[in-house]
Amino acid sequence: MTVFRKSKKLFGDAQRVIPGGVNSPVRAFKAVGANPIFISKAKGAYLYDVDGNRYIDYCLSWGPMILGHAHREVLDQVRKVMVNGTSFGIPTPLETHLARMIVQAIGSIEKVRLVSSGTEAVMTAIRLARGCTGRDKIIKFIGCYHGHVDHMLVQAGSGATTLGSPSSPGVPRDFTKHTLLLPYNDPEMIGRAFSKYRDQIAAVIIEPIAGNMGVVPPADGFLKTIRRLCTKNGSILIFDEVITGFRIRYGSVQEPFGVKADLTCLGKIIGGGFPIGACGGKKGLMDRLAPSGQIYQAGTLSGNPVCVAAGIATLKLLKSKGTYPALGRAAKELCDGIGKALSGRDIKHTINRVGSMFTVFFNPDPVIDYVSAVKSDVGRYARFHSAMLGEGIYLPPSQFEACFVSTEHKHKDMGKTIAAARKASL
Ligand SMILES: *Cc1c(COP(=O)(O)O)cnc(C)c1O
């Protein structure tokens, strides 16, 4: 029986001084009806909690730790840089280095602005799109998450193309009324939205592979349809690649899908576990940002040497040959094993996987959009999560999140995980 005594006490302490006891909501384990574990340290594929339990980690800080935790070479670079000062608010050569690595890796990016989170990257992209087009409306897809920026915190109204209404108190309706919500993977609906609002749409923002309703890949041709409509109507196409950037391959998923975004948002992996974000695109567009242009964007800690050094070290390691095929093979082995374990017990499920990101949906039908995703059995996911936790496997504490594999996950870790799935009481 796994003991969580210290975690439970620490959660009580935290709840007295931190809202909900956590600094980001999903960490509270509410979606799986449990209490969070508190972590004391992590190394490679493993997390260690304050009660001394060890877990194989498939959440990886929600994606960034693609090289595993506390990677020696990343930490060495960070240490080397930080003893010389951690932030100056003055340029350093490292920023140009990371920017150049991003520009070289992603064909649609000629210039890139570094920020401190994925949310900020999206804020920047949206302001830029609105500023450049002189239009207000943004198309967003239901189930995609783009950070906690006001205009993006909207949920579906009654009809699929109704104007968005805020999904959080504190977000003025005046802000979200410019956000149009459409179902993911539905080319017909986006065609209709464009015929209705053609010259009012500043941008379409999309996760090219959705990760925030659980993993949902784009249907054949869906991204190309969006690209075509944006080009035809003078709207900016924003790819939110905060998860997919450097996750599926070295760079972006735009090349394999054969679609170029006008603006690309990055985060997570490019900071190697430190707070970072980035927004990049063609020169002509990016130069509209201050100080070369009029569209304002700024950040006290943007491009600080510590985060940037971690990002550079991470990207350098990821670039080595064979990294991504190996990650994909490991994730496939794992998903095949879990799938067999569940099928062998007649447990209805659907596994969506792209490279090293995947979700096990407790759903007998294909998951292609938000509506099909939310038909999953969340009670069963909660039991799965709890049973796996008890066996030393850490999965994201919600059915509607992506699981990730790192370069440090070994064959024996997959084996242990599959064995746990075979006996988990569901
Ligand atoms: C995580 C995430 C964000 C927000 O990034 P933060 O660093 O948490 O602000 C934005 N978009 C997507 C697709 C994400 O997964």
Side-chain angles (χ1 to χ4, degrees):
M1 195 50 195
T2 313
V3 174
F4 302 108
R5 194 175 49 82
K6 288 184 182 163
S7 279
K8 204 167 165 212
K9 155 128 195 358
L10 288 169
F11 189 45
D13 294 346
Q15 282 172 304
R16 279 186 276 282
V17 289
I18 299 174
V22 291
N23 282 313
S24 197
V26 70
R27 292 181 202 172
F29 277 40
K30 271 193 169 173
V32 289
N35 284 329
I37 51 169
F38 276 60
I39 299 303
S40 58
K41 64 171 185 177
K43 181 74 189 163
Y46 304 118
L47 293 169
Y48 299 83
D49 75 8
V50 288
D51 288 287
N53 304 306
R54 190 188 84 168
Y55 307 92
I56 305 169
D57 182 11
Y58 293 106
C59 187
L60 297 170
S61 190
W62 306 94
M65 313 314 301
I66 190 168
L67 297 171
H69 294 281
H71 193 285
R72 191 177 48 79
E73 285 168 65
V74 176
L75 292 187
D76 282 349
Q77 286 309 309
V78 167
R79 250 183 237 114
K80 210 168 102 189
V81 161
M82 69 189 242
V83 293
N84 291 319
T86 57
S87 181
F88 317 115
I90 304 171
T92 66
L94 284 176
E95 295 162 69
T96 311
H97 188 149
L98 180 58
R100 197 182 295 121
M101 288 179 91
I102 292 171
V103 166
Q104 283 168 354
I106 300 181
S108 66
I109 299 185
E110 291 174 351
K111 287 194 178 184
V112 59
R113 171 67 52 91
L114 297 180
V115 294
S116 295
S117 68
T119 295
E120 267 189 87
V122 169
M123 282 173 58
T124 305
I126 287 177
R127 185 169 308 145
L128 198 46
R130 286 178 165 154
C132 291
T133 57
R135 305 172 181 176
D136 289 336
K137 291 206 188 317
I138 306 283
I139 288 178
K140 170 195 182 287
F141 295 92
I142 302 165
C144 286
Y145 175 70
H146 302 293
H148 66 100
V149 53
D150 280 346
H151 321 261
M152 293 293 107
L153 280 183
V154 281
Q155 66 190 9
S158 41
T161 56
T162 49
L163 296 170
S165 61
S167 63
S168 164
V171 177
R173 198 167 293 273
D174 279 351
F175 288 19
T176 56
K177 73 178 185 199
H178 299 300
T179 309
L180 294 158
L181 281 167
L182 297 178
Y184 198 81
N185 275 337
D186 188 336
E188 202 185 305
M189 290 303 271
I190 187 163
R192 272 199 240 164
F194 266 103
S195 22
K196 186 162 175 197
Y197 297 104
R198 55 185 84 244
D199 53 359
Q200 298 174 49
I201 298 168
V204 176
I205 183 166
I206 187 166
E207 290 180 78
I209 298 165
N212 286 290
M213 50 182 144
V215 172
V216 178
D220 267 356
F222 181 55
L223 299 173
K224 283 195 169 143
T225 301
I226 299 174
R227 173 69 275 177
R228 190 172 44 74
L229 288 166
C230 283
T231 305
K232 188 171 151 215
N233 293 281
S235 305
I236 306 255
L237 176 56
I238 305 170
F239 269 17
D240 181 347
E241 296 215 45
V242 172
I243 288 183
T244 57
F246 297 91
R247 163 57 62 185
I248 306 300
R249 57 193 291 278
Y250 186 82
S252 141
V253 298
Q254 293 165 39
E255 285 85 353
F257 287 129
V259 173
K260 274 191 178 178
D262 298 306
L263 293 173
T264 302
C265 299
L266 300 166
K268 297 196 169 117
I269 287 173
I270 62 157
F274 286 81
I276 209 165
C279 170
K282 279 251 156 50
K283 273 189 249 176
L285 212 47
M286 293 306 296
D287 280 335
R288 301 287 299 274
L289 280 180
S292 41
Q294 300 291 318
I295 300 169
Y296 192 71
Q297 188 282 327
T300 302
L301 293 171
S302 295
N304 74 76
V306 180
C307 300
V308 166
I312 294 171
T314 299
L315 296 195
K316 270 189 185 152
L317 289 158
L318 286 174
K319 205 171 181 179
S320 70
K321 201 164 168 281
T323 302
Y324 288 93
L327 278 167
R329 277 196 304 275
K332 181 174 189 307
E333 174 190 338
L334 181 64
C335 289
D336 288 352
I338 293 175
K340 244 192 222 149
L342 296 176
S343 298
R345 301 169 53 189
D346 237 356
I347 290 167
K348 301 273 186 292
H349 67 279
T350 293
I351 301 179
N352 282 356
R353 178 184 72 85
V354 183
S356 60
M357 60 191 274
F358 67 94
T359 299
V360 179
F361 292 99
F362 289 102
N363 187 329
D365 302 316
V367 176
I368 55 159
D369 59 9
Y370 185 73
V371 170
S372 47
V374 295
K375 285 186 183 144
S376 304
D377 183 343
V378 292
R380 181 161 263 178
Y381 185 82
R383 294 192 289 281
F384 183 58
H385 184 271
S386 157
M388 296 298 270
L389 199 68
E391 294 294 319
I393 317 289
Y394 186 77
L395 301 172
S398 160
Q399 168 73 93
F400 308 109
E401 299 288 352
C403 296
F404 299 103
V405 172
S406 80
T407 53
E408 293 299 298
H409 285 76
K410 300 293 187 287
H411 183 67
K412 68 171 194 308
D413 300 316
M414 315 297 170
K416 192 179 165 199
T417 307
I418 294 162
R422 217 174 276 134
K423 67 177 206 193
S425 73
L426 297 171

